[in-house]
Amino acid sequence: MNFQMTLRAALVSLIALGAGTTASADQLADVKAAGKIVTATDMHYAPFDMLNNGTYEGMTKDLFDEVSKEIGVEPLYQDIPWPAELPGLEVKKFDIIIAPVTITPERLERYTFTLPIADATVALVKAASSDLKAPEDIKGKTVGVQQGTAQFKQLEAFGDKLGGVTIKEYGTTDEAYADLAAGRLDAVAGSLPNLTYLVKNRPETFALFEPAKFGEPKYFAWALRKNADTEPFAKAINDALLKMTDDGRVKAIQEKWLGTYTELPREVPAK
């Protein structure tokens, strides 16, 4: 009787241990078992993410739709304010952040990044009627930027180097663009693809500085939690992106939304 109970307890423990290992050691397996990838993005970041009459669209969606097909699951898209995305990822509210996240050394220590999906080099936009020209002309001016972004940090460092810039933070880039158009800002800092798209669609209102870019070259990617569980998941996404690069899908999607194609690194940058 005691031997049977002991044997039964041992078997139950082994089964529980095996089930626990299977459920928690591989995020890709969990995603495939669920049949979906739960994502977070800020749908106010054209041309990557935007709402058009309530419908989600943009370069990010087109890319991730194709990645999800390659993995064999359905994407679940959620509109989450940018400041809540990285904290939400860490407490497992979603599987991945697909809002373009700038790769930085500090973030590389804390998160797993996919391959780059776009250029993220910081740039400046102004009102079309503005007399400002070069990036250095923002000295002593008021410049808007989305809060909590790598572009904010680069703008802050650039402003210090110039000798002073008043920085105004915004929850979304759309809010910053609205204040720039209304004359409440002298410029807005953001990634070059976002600002190029803005000027392309509203040339009567906005113009790029000449040159528009300042600071070090940077890239956008998608972010996952940093642990061994995520490694197969990240690899599956990267394999899909490389396949899409080689068969021309990435080029077609870039040209659709950005009007041009930028060849991207085939490895995750170290900084």
Side-chain angles (χ1 to χ4, degrees):
M1 184 71 170
N2 289 339
F3 173 78
Q4 291 178 336
M5 290 177 65
T6 301
L7 179 60
R8 185 179 302 166
L11 288 171
V12 169
S13 296
L14 285 171
I15 292 169
L17 178 61
T21 301
T22 300
S24 63
D26 187 341
Q27 190 180 7
L28 177 62
D30 292 346
V31 161
K32 286 189 172 183
K36 63 183 179 181
I37 301 175
V38 181
T39 77
T41 191
D42 182 347
M43 297 179 185
H44 306 275
Y45 202 62
F48 295 97
D49 305 273
M50 62 192 106
L51 290 171
N52 185 3
N53 294 321
T55 300
Y56 174 46
E57 62 179 30
M59 180 173 156
T60 298
K61 183 179 184 300
D62 284 2
L63 285 171
F64 207 77
D65 278 350
E66 294 299 315
V67 167
S68 299
K69 288 177 186 176
E70 291 294 329
I71 295 175
V73 295
E74 292 293 324
L76 175 61
Y77 297 116
Q78 298 184 112
D79 187 9
I80 307 290
W82 166 247
E85 290 185 21
L86 291 173
L89 179 69
E90 293 185 10
V91 297
K92 300 184 178 182
K93 286 186 176 294
F94 25 82
D95 298 312
I96 185 172
I97 295 173
I98 60 168
V101 184
T102 305
I103 299 173
T104 67
E106 297 80 12
R107 288 174 177 167
L108 282 166
E109 292 181 0
R110 193 161 184 170
Y111 306 101
T112 295
F113 280 90
T114 66
L115 292 172
I117 61 162
D119 180 11
T121 305
V122 67
L124 289 165
V125 68
K126 60 182 180 178
S129 59
S130 173
D131 294 330
L132 301 179
K133 295 181 180 180
E136 291 74 16
D137 293 342
I138 65 171
K139 179 179 180 180
K141 305 296 184 181
T142 301
V143 182
V145 68
Q146 187 175 19
Q147 65 185 23
T149 61
Q151 286 71 35
F152 166 79
K153 291 187 176 181
Q154 292 177 80
L155 173 63
E156 188 175 45
F158 186 60
D160 290 343
K161 182 179 178 181
L162 293 178
V165 170
T166 299
I167 299 175
K168 187 173 181 181
E169 299 178 68
Y170 291 84
T172 69
T173 54
D174 288 343
E175 294 168 336
Y177 300 153
D179 270 5
L180 179 59
R184 290 187 284 269
L185 294 172
D186 297 299
V188 169
S191 76
L192 183 61
N194 299 83
L195 301 186
T196 299
Y197 180 85
L198 175 70
V199 172
K200 175 185 174 183
N201 286 276
R202 300 177 64 183
E204 73 288 348
T205 306
F206 302 109
L208 291 171
F209 280 62
E210 298 178 9
K213 295 193 291 185
F214 65 91
E216 297 180 356
K218 295 289 183 181
Y219 292 98
F220 280 136
W222 298 326
L224 301 90
R225 289 180 288 277
K226 193 177 184 69
N227 53 52
D229 298 0
T230 66
E231 291 176 5
F233 188 31
K235 184 180 185 302
I237 293 170
N238 290 340
D239 287 348
L241 287 171
L242 289 174
K243 180 179 179 180
M244 291 161 55
T245 297
D246 294 339
D247 66 23
R249 278 179 285 174
V250 168
K251 183 175 186 290
I253 292 170
Q254 277 197 28
E255 290 178 341
K256 172 184 175 181
W257 293 104
L258 305 179
T260 186
Y261 172 65
T262 300
E263 187 173 349
L264 299 169
R266 295 177 70 90
E267 295 182 352
V268 178
K271 63 179 182 177

